[in-house]
Amino acid sequence: MRLAPIRGARKPEVQMSPLIDIIFLLLIFYAVTTQFVADERLKLKLPEAKTAEEGELLYFTGCLPFYDAYFTHLEMDTLNIARDTLRLLNAAGETPVLMANELCCGHDLFWSGDEENAARLAEKNLAAIAARGAKRVVTSCPECAHTLRELYPQLTGKETPFEVLHLSQLLAEKRQAGELKFSRRGGAVTYHDSCRLARQLDVTEAPRETLREVYGDELHEMEHHGKNAVCC
């Protein structure tokens, strides 16, 4: 593996050897599948944010806290995604459960061929979510949404005992119920459909509903969009 250069980011000072690459990957898998970053996850709490220990709606943050803690050389604040999600959930009248003992959903382990350990992660996360009494789980990550909804039943041999929603679906639901409104903003925008969300979960309209409310006719589609969008 080689870290691809990112515009504006500092170049890594050390060139990785193949052996270090392997160790690097193993460390990543260890970190995201243990309690290594539990404290980092709770750092995303905002002073004004409302969260709960137990409840019917749970926010599954995914690996955002790990990315924020590990990839510091890229100078990205990935926790902003989670913080903004909390703001949106609160604005929609929800007080989501936030788990310190949440583990990686297992997406990358599954697709790297390690179904055994992906299944172990699934069982641990299912038990943790059940202990919080959640009936709905919302995530801002398409990969997490797909894994929780589609892969967990495959990995565990049983139906997921809660509803899984991507954030865009919940926002569209709240808007339609009159429980959430967005103010208009100017400027042209476009939307890139992720593979997991569009092609595998069939979620294409929900994100656009919110964008249209905010940007109106300034939402412009790319040549390839929806289920025909090009993979990132």
Side-chain angles (χ1 to χ4, degrees), residues 23-134:
I23 295 174
F24 176 76
L25 283 174
L26 290 174
L27 286 172
I28 288 179
F29 281 137
Y30 169 78
V32 301
T33 57
T34 66
Q35 289 299 112
F36 185 72
V37 290
D39 290 340
E40 290 299 319
R41 178 169 286 105
L42 294 183
K43 286 181 182 178
L44 65 86
K45 282 190 175 181
L46 301 164
E48 70 275 15
K50 297 178 181 178
T51 59
E53 293 294 325
E54 297 181 353
E56 295 190 357
L57 182 78
L58 183 142
Y59 172 40
F60 194 89
T61 65
C63 293
L64 289 173
F66 168 75
Y67 293 149
D68 188 77
Y70 197 89
F71 294 107
T72 55
H73 64 287
L74 299 181
E75 298 180 352
M76 299 186 300
D77 185 1
T78 58
L79 282 181
N80 267 342
I81 298 173
R83 294 188 186 104
D84 287 342
T85 298
L86 282 179
R87 289 189 180 97
L88 287 167
L89 291 174
N90 285 171
E94 297 287 352
T95 303
V97 175
L98 205 60
M99 300 193 303
N101 61 336
E102 174 193 312
L103 301 175
C104 172
C105 69
H107 173 276
D108 288 357
L109 279 178
F110 177 84
W111 291 104
S112 67
D114 192 351
E115 293 189 26
E116 180 180 352
N117 282 315
R120 290 178 180 174
L121 285 176
E123 294 287 2
K124 287 180 177 293
N125 277 325
L126 287 172
I129 292 171
R132 302 302 181 101

Side-chain angles (χ1 to χ4, degrees), residues 148-215:
L148 292 167
R149 198 179 93 175
E150 303 295 329
L151 296 185
Y152 274 20
Q154 177 180 332
L155 290 168
T156 64
K158 51 193 175 186
E159 290 298 316
T160 304
F162 45 78
E163 182 183 10
V164 179
L165 295 167
H166 183 259
L167 177 64
S168 62
Q169 293 176 287
L170 184 66
L171 296 181
E173 176 186 295
K174 292 291 185 178
R175 283 185 54 258
Q176 293 167 7
E179 299 175 11
L180 182 65
K181 292 184 178 181
F182 292 95
S183 57
R184 280 296 183 99
R185 296 186 64 178
V189 297
T190 191
Y191 173 72
H192 176 262
D193 294 270
S194 72
C195 294
R196 296 285 183 263
L197 208 57
R199 281 190 276 273
Q200 296 180 314
L201 292 179
D202 197 26
V203 177
T204 58
E205 188 57 28
R208 288 171 169 80
E209 287 183 16
T210 299
L211 289 173
R212 288 193 194 101
E213 180 171 341
V214 177
Y215 294 98

